[in-house]
Amino acid sequence: MVKLAAKCILAGDPAVGKTALAQIFRSDGAHFQKNYTLTTGVDLVVKTVPVPDTGDSVELFIFDSAGKELFSEMLDKLWESPNALCLVYDVSSEQSFNNCSKWLEKARAQVPGSSLPGVLVGNKTDLAGRRVVESAQAQAWALEQGLECLETSVKEMENYEAPFRCVAKQFHQLYQEKVEVFHTLV
Amino acid sequence: MRKVDLCLSSEGAEVILATSSDEKHPPENIIDGNPETFWTTTGMFPQEFIVCFHRLVRIERLVIRSYFVRTLKIEKSTAKEPVDFEQWIERDLVHTEGQLQNEEIMARDDHATYLRFIITSAFDHIAAVYSISAEGVAVSDLS
């Protein structure tokens, strides 16, 4: 049995629902933030996620930083040495989806030479009538980039745990792979 | 006085603290004398472990076998309890793809009762330490 610890950075444009996602996950669905507040600096959510079919778990340190900081140098400091990425866009905003490649590039630049487990999250599926980013389109891009892909509605409390379970599972997988490498070296 | 590898459980050394531990790869693996077993870090850096010699020793040479370790700091103490550590050695290791890092450090007859190894950064998400050997002599027992 092992308890891993991983720094998971939340990335994506402003107002896509990063903070709402982190907070609803933290509170097990008890709190949906109705009023939008712009995150400045960083919020930290720490939560342990069990890895299915193992006795293992991953303690996630979720760094929720300001979405308006894409080009700021402060983000480089906050994002230092991430272990996982949760990349969020709004299914009703084409631009938030298009910007995902920039966020991904910035996140990957933090870990040159190693892989970064990650999940692409299309939020606000409750805004069905205003959807402009189709699931298939997001899935195709995620596949290309080596990201897992899923959709959520934080407002309807749908699937809000899935992104974090997904990155925990990926990080656990990565750990197992590294241990295999360590065995082969001797 | 007999020159021995002081960093072995068979010589009385003990790992008294480690910041991460997988049951399958515990920190005791570092001092068990088996070159194939290792301790894994299980999360974010820094990560550290403390070796207690249970006596005062004089160290002439240290060899650290590891993988993916980038920056390593070593502190030492000569106190009876694991307190009053002082900065001793700091090394930036080189990544050796596909083979273990084998870092040799010549010490100038430095005395210690405890050594604290701090991995401040790594070349990957997870690092491993296979063994530490400390060549030297036991100076005195702790009374």
Side-chain angles (χ1 to χ4, degrees):
Chain A
M1 207 174 79
V2 59
K3 185 177 185 181
L4 303 174
K7 174 173 177 174
C8 175
I9 53 176
L10 263 180
D13 276 6
V16 296
K18 296 186 296 299
T19 301
L21 178 64
Q23 293 305 323
I24 206 162
F25 178 63
R26 181 186 62 78
S27 66
D28 288 315
H31 293 288
F32 175 69
Q33 230 183 309
K34 289 201 180 72
N35 301 316
Y36 176 67
T37 53
L38 177 71
T39 305
T40 51
V42 69
D43 281 341
L44 178 63
V45 172
V46 182
K47 194 164 168 176
T48 300
V49 182
V51 179
D53 308 321
T54 68
D56 304 340
S57 57
V58 181
E59 187 173 28
L60 288 179
F61 290 73
I62 302 162
F63 281 63
D64 172 21
S65 47
K68 68 175 181 55
E69 303 284 353
L70 179 55
F71 302 104
S72 105
E73 281 175 21
M74 189 176 79
L75 202 59
D76 289 323
K77 199 70 203 156
L78 296 172
W79 277 18
E80 216 169 33
S81 305
N83 300 117
L85 167 71
C86 184
L87 180 51
V88 189
Y89 68 95
D90 170 353
V91 298
S92 71
S93 159
E94 183 95 52
Q95 195 192 347
S96 74
F97 177 67
N98 291 339
N99 278 338
C100 282
S101 59
K102 287 176 197 158
W103 287 107
L104 180 62
E105 193 184 328
K106 192 168 175 77
R108 289 211 165 128
Q110 302 290 327
V111 283
S114 35
S115 62
L116 183 63
V119 61
L120 178 68
V121 182
N123 187 34
K124 306 194 189 179
T125 53
D126 48 284
L127 301 177
R130 283 158 52 187
R131 179 192 277 270
V132 289
V133 183
E134 295 305 323
S135 305
Q137 184 186 355
Q139 263 164 19
W141 184 74
L143 190 67
E144 212 174 277
Q145 299 299 328
L147 298 170
E148 297 280 333
C149 177
L150 47 88
E151 293 190 340
T152 58
S153 165
V154 175
K155 187 170 176 243
E156 303 294 334
M157 293 186 201
E158 270 174 29
N159 227 17
Y160 65 88
E161 287 185 312
F164 302 107
R165 292 187 186 281
C166 179
V167 291
K169 196 175 166 194
Q170 284 182 67
F171 185 69
H172 182 262
Q173 176 73 31
L174 183 145
Y175 175 74
Q176 305 290 348
E177 286 166 15
K178 296 300 168 195
V179 169
E180 276 310 304
V181 170
F182 297 153
H183 276 297
T184 62
L185 293 172
V186 287
Chain B
M1 281 187 286
R2 191 167 61 101
K3 218 190 268 187
V4 292
D5 182 357
L6 301 158
C7 236
L8 283 174
S9 41
S10 57
E11 285 291 329
E14 190 187 351
V15 179
I16 55 161
L17 176 145
T19 46
S20 58
S21 174
D22 180 343
E23 282 174 352
K24 291 185 189 129
H25 307 284
E28 288 74 24
N29 285 355
I30 299 168
I31 57 166
D32 65 358
N34 181 346
E36 296 188 1
T37 58
F38 51 85
W39 167 70
T40 54
T41 65
T42 54
M44 304 173 292
F45 294 93
Q47 293 281 342
E48 67 172 80
F49 58 93
I50 296 176
V51 175
C52 170
F53 296 107
H54 288 296
R55 52 189 176 173
L56 183 67
V57 300
R58 195 174 70 220
I59 300 165
E60 295 172 11
R61 182 171 164 262
L62 267 179
V63 179
I64 297 125
R65 291 167 64 247
S66 57
Y67 201 62
F68 284 144
V69 173
R70 188 195 286 262
T71 314
L72 177 69
K73 277 188 194 174
I74 309 171
E75 299 178 354
K76 69 183 185 73
S77 168
T78 51
K80 281 182 190 172
E81 303 294 325
V83 292
D84 300 332
F85 281 92
E86 52 180 281
Q87 173 61 33
W88 186 33
I89 291 159
E90 180 163 1
R91 285 286 171 98
D92 287 316
L93 276 63
V94 176
H95 175 53
T96 49
E97 183 68 38
Q99 58 177 23
L100 293 189
Q101 296 166 311
N102 200 73
E103 189 71 12
E104 188 180 330
I105 296 163
M106 297 308 289
R108 276 179 245 140
D109 293 338
D110 287 302
H111 289 73
T113 47
Y114 295 92
L115 291 182
R116 179 184 192 180
F117 296 82
I118 307 162
I119 301 168
T120 51
S121 65
F123 290 102
D124 210 306
H125 299 280
I126 306 293
V129 178
Y130 291 72
S131 68
I132 304 280
S133 56
E135 205 175 276
V137 294
V139 177
S140 63
D141 288 335
L142 295 179
S143 49

